[in-house]
Amino acid sequence: MERLETIRGSGVLLMEVVSDLLDLSQAEAGRLALRTGRFEINELCRDVCRLFSARVQRQGISPRMELAIEGPLWVYTDGARLRQVLINLVGNALKFTQKGSVTLRCEATNEQNYARVYFTVLDTGPGIPADKLARLFEPYYRGDDARVQSVVGTGLGLPISQSLVELLGGSLEVKSVLGRGTEFFFDLHLRAAEPPDPGSAR
């Protein structure tokens, strides 16, 4: 049984590597395209947290949500790509946080027919030295800290997330304090959408 689980885990990791490589190559070639549809922001954030809550029970740390948006907020965006960014950021934070918390925060302000939506992922991990922050978005960069090198990953999640956020119309930024944690954040200017009729497709 243990051998089967190892094989399964290796297969999942290999699929993630292949997927990351394809996304990165498309981003570098300018071939990543958006598929815009109608999505509800609060539910999208809940989906991301539910995904990780089921996966990190044994770790003792679950992603928390701070949704400062009253009621459903429907917008036009590529929900799949936005979800991919949030999954990358939350998953990355959980990898490096041994105790404390990982928080996905979402806020929004209305601007006529648009909404400015602010996303933040905060963790209480070890933090990142200032001289390493500038290189975080380089492909394959994993730093030289033993704590970083021991974490399984491709080193492609952050550069892919940066490319996707830029494609969505934002800019992914980071700030960190050693011993206190790291914060990734970006905001998007999204066209507001009407809620779907009950029973209709989005």
Side-chain angles (χ1 to χ4, degrees), residues 21 95 123 142 157 188:
L21 286 171
K95 286 179 184 179
D123 66 57
R142 290 173 52 79
L188 301 174

Side-chain angles (χ1 to χ4, degrees), residues 4 7 11 18 46-47 49-50 55 59-60 64 67 69 76 87 98 101 117 120 142 154 162 172 179 182 186 188 197:
L4 289 175
I7 294 173
V18 172
R46 293 189 189 99
D47 284 345
C49 287
R50 278 194 291 262
R55 288 172 53 179
Q59 187 175 337
R64 301 187 307 168
L67 301 179
I69 302 174
Y76 288 105
I87 287 174
Q98 300 303 314
S101 63
V117 189
T120 307
R142 290 173 52 79
T154 63
Q162 182 187 48
L172 181 59
T182 302
F186 63 96
L188 301 174
D197 294 330

Side-chain angles (χ1 to χ4, degrees), residues 16-120:
E16 290 177 352
V17 171
V18 172
S19 178
D20 285 347
L21 286 171
L22 289 173
D23 279 344
L24 183 62
S25 62
Q26 287 182 322
E28 291 177 340
R31 294 176 180 171
L32 277 178
L34 294 180
R35 294 183 178 180
T36 301
R38 181 168 47 185
F39 288 87
E40 203 284 297
I41 293 297
N42 282 340
E43 188 58 30
L44 189 149
C45 291
R46 293 189 189 99
D47 284 345
V48 171
C49 287
R50 278 194 291 262
L51 171 66
F52 286 102
S53 293
R55 288 172 53 179
V56 298
Q57 289 180 353
R58 286 178 296 181
Q59 187 175 337
I61 298 174
S62 294
R64 301 187 307 168
M65 285 187 303
E66 293 180 4
L67 301 179
I69 302 174
E70 293 186 8
L73 175 62
W74 288 91
V75 296
Y76 288 105
T77 187
D78 188 327
R81 290 302 191 182
L82 178 54
R83 184 182 286 107
Q84 183 179 354
V85 170
L86 296 178
I87 287 174
N88 280 345
L89 296 180
V90 173
N92 201 58
L94 286 167
K95 286 179 184 179
F96 295 99
T97 304
Q98 300 303 314
K99 60 181 180 179
S101 63
V102 170
T103 302
L104 170 58
R105 179 183 298 159
C106 184
E107 305 168 276
T109 58
N110 294 321
E111 302 174 3
Q112 294 184 343
N113 295 324
Y114 287 82
R116 178 74 66 177
V117 189
Y118 302 84
F119 298 93
T120 307

